């Protein structure tokens, strides 16, 4: 009784360590918990702070003077007879503040685009890991089914081999197939562990995630086709891809920076007022002060030239990104289309027939209608084909996710 209770507790603990989650559940957890997203959000907050800082003017300067030594009265610190004060304020000219604020706002737009691109990239990783895990679990289930039967068969052959009723060669042939299945299982379990770890990092969920995806939903995803042809997809990618939009915005950003640097060549005014008790022409004299640097040369010309080169550089980078994006969309679409067409050639009846033949081979082998060589050859072929079909389905989903990542808008029916 205690053993049964202990087993029940162990099973309960195992189940508690797993959490069934749909893809939308994973996305919701991802939005709330992903640490990379949360960290990237601070770049937007910092850009807001830069805008705030750009709007702040220089503080006014207050200065004063007192007498240190009166040579006539031979007094030290004759404050009663000689003192003065002045206050000055720097006045920006040439639209410096306006240009600085515009540049800071442009930086915020860049930060938002970077955040959007990171969101897309991480969501693609989430979907990829989810579908990878889903199909690896199906592969494991299928492999375990085969292993269960083959292990029982091998055990029976070992007994008969020990009695001399079957040859050792037949036992070794079965052993070889079991070893191959166990090797498949080892690789599948390794992949499952990797994908589970990826999902934990992406979603912030500490339990192992069990994909909750019905066979019908999986078939619908596999059957989905993108809107439009290859050229239409390229057009949508150029309109929506955050990474490409970032480089376009970078051109505007560098133009604003160049405009700001150019405005820094315009001299600023220092305006102020001063009061002097006895040091001026009149007693208690109040004066207006205006100061401006002499524009004998452009003090910021080097930065202006550098900023203009940055505009040209960013234009070339944007041209490269445009070509790169179009090429990637073209390759991703062709990859998806090839894999989609390849899977479409395998009819549902073919898959059903394969399972029927599998069940038939098992029954006929038990009845002695199929010899061991035919049976093991078929089982090895079935083992490889079953894994390949799962991989084909997974690759279609992965290709579709890559298209989604590049085009960044709803493109599938």
């Amino acid at each position: 009784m205690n053993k049964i209770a202990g087993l029940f507790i162990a099973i309960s603990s195992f189940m508690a360590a797993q959490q069934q989650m749909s893809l939308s559940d994973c996305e919701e957890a991802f939005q709330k918990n992903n640490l990379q997203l949360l960290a990237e959000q601070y770049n937007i907050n910092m850009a807001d702070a830069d805008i705030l800082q750009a709007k702040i003017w220089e503080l006014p300067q207050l200065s004063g003077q007192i007498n240190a030594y009166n040579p006539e009265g031979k007094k030290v610190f004759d404050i009663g007879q000689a003192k003065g004060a002045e206050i000055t304020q720097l006045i920006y000219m040439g639209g410096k503040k306006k240009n600085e604020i515009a540049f800071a706002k442009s930086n915020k737009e860049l930060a938002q685009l970077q955040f959007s691109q990171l969101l897309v990239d991480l969501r693609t990783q989430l979907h990829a890991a989810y579908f990878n895990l889903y199909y690896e679990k199906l592969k494991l289930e299928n492999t375990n089914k085969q292993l269960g039967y083959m292990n029982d068969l091998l055990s029976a052959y070992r007994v008969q081999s020990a009695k001399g009723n079957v040859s050792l060669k037949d036992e070794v042939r079965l052993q070889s197939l079991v070893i191959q299945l166990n090797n498949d299982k080892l690789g599948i379990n390794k992949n499952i562990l990797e994908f589970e770890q990826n999902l934990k990092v992406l979603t912030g969920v500490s339990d192992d995630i069990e994909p909750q995806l019905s066979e019908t939903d999986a078939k619908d995803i596999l059957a989905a086709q993108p809107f439009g042809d290859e050229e239409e997809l390229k057009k949508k990618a150029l309109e929506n891809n955050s990474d490409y939009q970032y480089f376009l915005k970078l051109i505007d950003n560098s133009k604003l920076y160049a405009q700001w640097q150019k405005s820094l060549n315009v001299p600023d005014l220092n305006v102020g007022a001063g009061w002097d008790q006895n040091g001026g022409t009149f007693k208690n004299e109040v004066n207006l002060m205006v100061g401006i640097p002499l524009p004998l040369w452009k003090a910021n010309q080097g930065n202006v030239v550098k900023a203009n080169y940055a505009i040209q550089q960013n234009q070339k980078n944007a041209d490269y990104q445009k070509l790169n994006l179009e090429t990637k969309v073209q390759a991703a679409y062709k990859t998806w289309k090839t894999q989609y067409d390849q899977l479409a050639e395998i009819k549902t009846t073919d898959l059903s027939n394969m399972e029927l033949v599998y069940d038939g081979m098992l029954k006929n082998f038990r009845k002695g209608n199929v010899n061991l060589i035919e049976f093991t050859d078929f089982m090895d072929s079935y083992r490889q084909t079953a894994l390949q079909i799962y991989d084909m389905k997974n690759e279609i989903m992965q290709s579709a996710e890559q298209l989604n990542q590049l085009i960044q808008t709803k493109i599938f029916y």
Side-chain angles (χ1 to χ4, degrees):
M1 185 68 183
N2 290 334
K3 290 182 179 180
I4 296 175
L7 180 62
F8 178 78
I9 293 172
I11 293 174
S12 300
S13 300
F14 175 76
M15 295 300 293
Q18 288 189 328
Q19 186 171 343
Q20 285 197 343
M21 296 181 70
S22 66
L23 186 56
S24 59
D25 292 334
C26 289
E27 284 189 346
E28 185 178 350
F30 160 74
Q31 294 273 12
K32 292 179 180 178
N33 304 324
N34 187 271
L35 295 176
Q36 283 181 275
L37 275 185
L38 295 175
E40 187 68 23
Q41 179 67 46
Y42 287 112
N43 285 331
I44 300 176
N45 299 137
M46 287 187 284
D48 281 326
D50 287 337
I51 295 173
L52 176 63
Q53 185 63 37
K55 294 178 179 180
I56 299 175
W57 283 50
E58 290 288 337
L59 293 171
Q61 293 190 7
L62 176 66
S63 59
Q65 62 184 48
I66 59 173
N67 172 258
Y69 178 70
N70 181 354
E72 295 180 0
K74 296 182 179 181
K75 292 182 179 180
V76 179
F77 296 119
D78 189 5
I79 299 175
Q81 298 297 322
K83 52 184 176 287
E86 63 181 43
I87 185 170
T88 59
Q89 174 66 55
L90 180 67
I91 305 297
Y92 295 105
M93 306 296 290
K96 289 186 183 67
K97 270 296 165 188
K98 180 184 72 174
N99 293 334
E100 184 181 0
I101 293 169
F103 177 66
K105 289 181 177 179
S106 179
N107 283 340
K108 180 183 177 180
E109 292 175 350
L110 289 175
Q112 289 171 327
L113 286 170
Q114 283 182 313
F115 179 83
S116 297
Q117 185 60 39
L118 179 64
L119 177 62
V120 170
D121 291 343
L122 291 177
R123 183 183 285 122
T124 301
Q125 293 179 29
L126 176 73
H127 287 198
Y130 189 87
F131 292 131
N132 278 329
L133 182 59
Y134 172 73
Y135 280 108
E136 289 298 313
K137 292 272 190 176
L138 291 179
K139 287 163 68 174
L140 181 62
E141 182 181 345
N142 183 276
T143 302
N144 281 333
K145 180 184 72 172
Q146 295 177 64
L147 263 175
Y149 179 80
M150 294 306 299
N151 277 324
D152 291 342
L153 185 61
L154 179 60
S155 297
Y157 261 71
R158 281 173 176 164
V159 173
Q160 295 303 317
S161 176
K163 294 178 179 180
N165 295 329
V166 296
S167 68
L168 182 61
K169 180 179 64 175
D170 290 342
E171 179 188 340
V172 171
R173 182 181 290 275
L174 287 174
Q175 178 69 53
S176 175
L177 188 54
V178 169
I179 289 173
Q180 289 176 330
L181 286 167
N182 276 314
N183 188 59
D184 290 341
K185 183 176 180 179
L186 183 64
I188 292 169
N189 279 321
K190 182 180 178 182
N191 291 336
I192 287 175
L193 179 60
E194 178 185 347
F195 299 139
E196 284 177 342
Q197 289 175 333
N198 290 343
L199 284 175
K200 286 179 182 180
V201 172
L202 289 165
T203 62
V205 176
S206 58
D207 295 338
D208 291 337
I209 293 174
E210 181 73 23
Q212 194 176 29
L213 182 66
S214 68
E215 186 177 350
T216 301
D217 290 339
K219 286 181 178 179
D220 290 341
I221 296 173
L222 289 171
Q225 298 186 55
F227 290 112
D229 56 11
E230 184 181 312
E231 293 304 316
E232 182 67 20
L233 294 178
K234 288 181 183 178
K235 180 182 176 183
K236 289 183 178 181
L238 294 175
E239 292 172 353
N240 298 288
N241 185 276
S242 297
D243 200 26
Y244 176 62
Q245 292 299 319
Y246 174 87
F247 281 92
L248 289 181
K249 178 58 65 176
L250 204 56
I251 298 173
D252 295 335
N253 179 265
S254 56
K255 288 179 180 178
L256 290 171
Y257 181 74
Q259 186 176 346
W260 178 31
Q261 293 302 309
K262 186 177 180 180
S263 67
L264 292 177
N265 280 320
V266 179
D268 295 326
L269 284 177
N270 265 303
V271 178
W275 167 76
D276 195 297
Q277 185 179 24
N278 278 315
T281 305
F282 312 103
K283 286 190 174 184
N284 294 315
E285 186 176 73
V286 177
N287 298 313
L288 175 66
M289 295 175 292
V290 178
I292 187 171
L294 297 177
L296 300 179
W297 55 81
K298 294 181 178 179
N300 202 45
Q301 186 61 23
N303 287 332
V304 172
V305 172
K306 183 179 177 181
N308 287 329
Y309 281 130
I311 296 174
Q312 299 176 48
Q313 182 186 49
N314 289 328
Q315 181 63 63
K316 296 298 182 185
N317 284 333
D319 293 341
Y320 166 76
Q321 290 297 327
K322 180 176 184 290
L323 177 62
N324 188 43
L325 179 57
E326 289 177 332
T327 303
K328 284 184 175 180
V329 170
Q330 182 183 46
Y333 177 76
K334 286 182 177 179
T335 300
W336 171 85
K337 190 72 169 61
T338 301
Q339 293 170 343
Y340 182 88
D341 292 342
Q342 186 179 13
L343 184 64
E345 291 177 1
I346 304 175
K347 306 299 182 183
T348 305
T349 52
D350 295 335
L351 297 176
S352 299
N353 290 339
M354 189 175 74
E355 293 301 319
L356 287 173
V357 173
Y358 174 80
D359 293 335
M361 285 293 290
L362 295 182
K363 292 177 182 177
N364 281 298
F365 181 70
R366 292 191 191 103
K367 294 177 180 179
N369 297 330
V370 176
N371 64 43
L372 182 64
I373 294 177
E374 291 176 329
F375 176 73
T376 52
D377 284 347
F378 171 80
M379 290 299 291
D380 186 51
S381 176
Y382 174 84
R383 175 187 66 84
Q384 296 180 46
T385 303
L387 296 180
Q388 288 170 354
I389 290 174
Y390 286 130
D391 286 339
M392 288 172 63
K393 292 179 178 180
N394 186 28
E395 285 167 3
I396 291 175
M397 290 190 177
Q398 301 298 333
S399 297
E401 287 302 325
Q402 187 179 7
L403 273 173
N404 285 332
Q405 181 183 20
L406 291 170
I407 299 171
Q408 296 181 18
T409 186
K410 183 174 177 58
I411 60 170
F412 283 90
Y413 290 99

